[in-house]
Amino acid sequence: MSNKFKVFIDGKAGTTGLKIYERLGKRDDIEILLIDEDKRKDSAERAKMINSADVVFLCLPDAAAKEAVALCTNPDTRIIDASTAHRTDPAWDYGFPELSEKHRENIRKSKRVANPGCYASGFISLVYPLIQAGVLPEDYPVTCHAVSGYSGAGNKMINVIESDDKTFEMNSPRQYALGQQHKHLPEMQKICGMKYAPMFNPIVDDYYSGMVVSVPLVTRCLTKKYTPAEIHEIMSAHYAGQHFVKVMELGGAETLADGFLAANTLADTNDMQIFVCGNDEQILLCSRFDNLGKGASGAAMQNMNIMLGIDETKGL
């Protein structure tokens, strides 16, 4: 009798599902349950797979993710949802273990974990510690700028950008969600405990994966006038001892030898680097990671490891 954990990936064909499948396929403690290609939309067959698994990854559109959860009748099946469907649902635990020991413990005990969004991961990594430390007033007008590789746009956009149908404009950075209705906004606001949603300006660029999320702070508008060194100390204390999230040296001088913060440096990793830069009047916080790693599949696998009680770095 196999002592391997049985894992089913519902939505294996997407970018997140494929990454999870590739990584899990290299592990000796995981048995991947595979559904026949012609039955991957068959509810009865999906239900059979879901209820036979120790862990199910949902890499699906929101409606399909909710449908998959409804198919689960096995009380022992753990579900990690990579869609937007359950990220603000109080019945689900938010899958960012580095935010606090409570978050980590909730994930460890959980049967239902909502995997964070990629942009949201960067934003929350910067803003959550500051709100917890009382740095930001509840009505502070938070602004966030972010750049991501085009893989974050999903298979349809990937296929266009990597085909002869690629337009001239796709060679440049392209800002979108101009109407301030991006699907990650509710998650960003709720998880951080903000009174108002942030102004969010996402940009997709002509490289495959990796992202930088930036939040500027005007120190005269904070609860008191903090220096960059004080903010750096708050961030460093918050993430002390974490394996995947590291606060880099103040100003980033050693890491950013050429003065540029490239967005693709951490591609193919589950690492996240946090930078504190600026001066006594204006401080810039930046979070750098892979939108397919800590922003998606890597985070999902890390959560699975925690839920199964094994080393959170295994396979990452």
Side-chain angles (χ1 to χ4, degrees), residues 126-138:
L126 301 174
V127 175
Y128 181 90
L130 298 183
I131 289 180
Q132 292 298 304
V135 172
L136 293 178
E138 68 172 13

Side-chain angles (χ1 to χ4, degrees), residues 239-250:
Y239 291 112
Q242 300 296 336
H243 181 85
F244 291 114
V245 180
K246 301 293 184 186
V247 179
M248 311 309 288
E249 69 281 350
L250 180 61

Side-chain angles (χ1 to χ4, degrees), residues 11 16 27 97 117 119 142 192 212 223 225 253 259 278 281 293 296 303 310:
T16 299
R27 289 177 54 162
Y119 287 119
V142 179
C192 288
V212 171
T223 53
K225 193 169 184 181
E281 304 300 324
N303 286 324
I310 57 183

Side-chain angles (χ1 to χ4, degrees), residues 93 104-112 306-307:
D93 293 300
R104 182 178 292 276
E105 183 64 10
N106 287 346
I107 294 165
R108 186 184 69 80
K109 296 177 180 177
S110 187
K111 295 292 177 63
R112 300 289 184 269
I306 294 170
M307 294 166 79

Side-chain angles (χ1 to χ4, degrees), residues 183-301:
K183 66 179 182 178
H184 289 181
L185 279 168
E187 170 187 4
M188 293 157 75
Q189 181 178 357
K190 179 181 184 295
I191 302 302
C192 288
M194 300 169 62
K195 186 174 181 179
Y196 302 106
M199 171 74 76
F200 179 43
N201 305 311
I203 297 168
V204 62
D205 203 355
D206 187 25
Y207 65 97
Y208 187 71
S209 71
M211 66 195 317
V212 171
V213 178
S214 302
V215 173
L217 301 176
V218 178
T219 60
R220 66 179 181 273
C221 298
L222 303 178
T223 53
K224 73 172 190 177
K225 193 169 184 181
Y226 288 86
T227 66
E230 289 170 329
I231 296 296
H232 184 266
E233 177 56 34
I234 290 169
M235 301 300 283
S236 297
H238 189 90
Y239 291 112
Q242 300 296 336
H243 181 85
F244 291 114
V245 180
K246 301 293 184 186
V247 179
M248 311 309 288
E249 69 281 350
L250 180 61
E254 294 177 18
T255 305
L256 310 174
D258 59 359
F260 288 91
L261 181 57
N264 62 353
T265 303
L266 298 180
D268 296 320
T269 76
N270 193 52
D271 296 331
M272 174 182 281
Q273 295 175 335
I274 290 176
F275 296 87
V276 180
C277 307
N279 54 56
D280 288 352
E281 304 300 324
Q282 298 171 319
I283 298 173
L284 181 64
L285 305 177
C286 301
S287 183
R288 173 164 70 179
F289 55 104
D290 184 3
N291 56 288
L292 295 181
K294 188 60 171 165
S297 62
M301 285 185 57

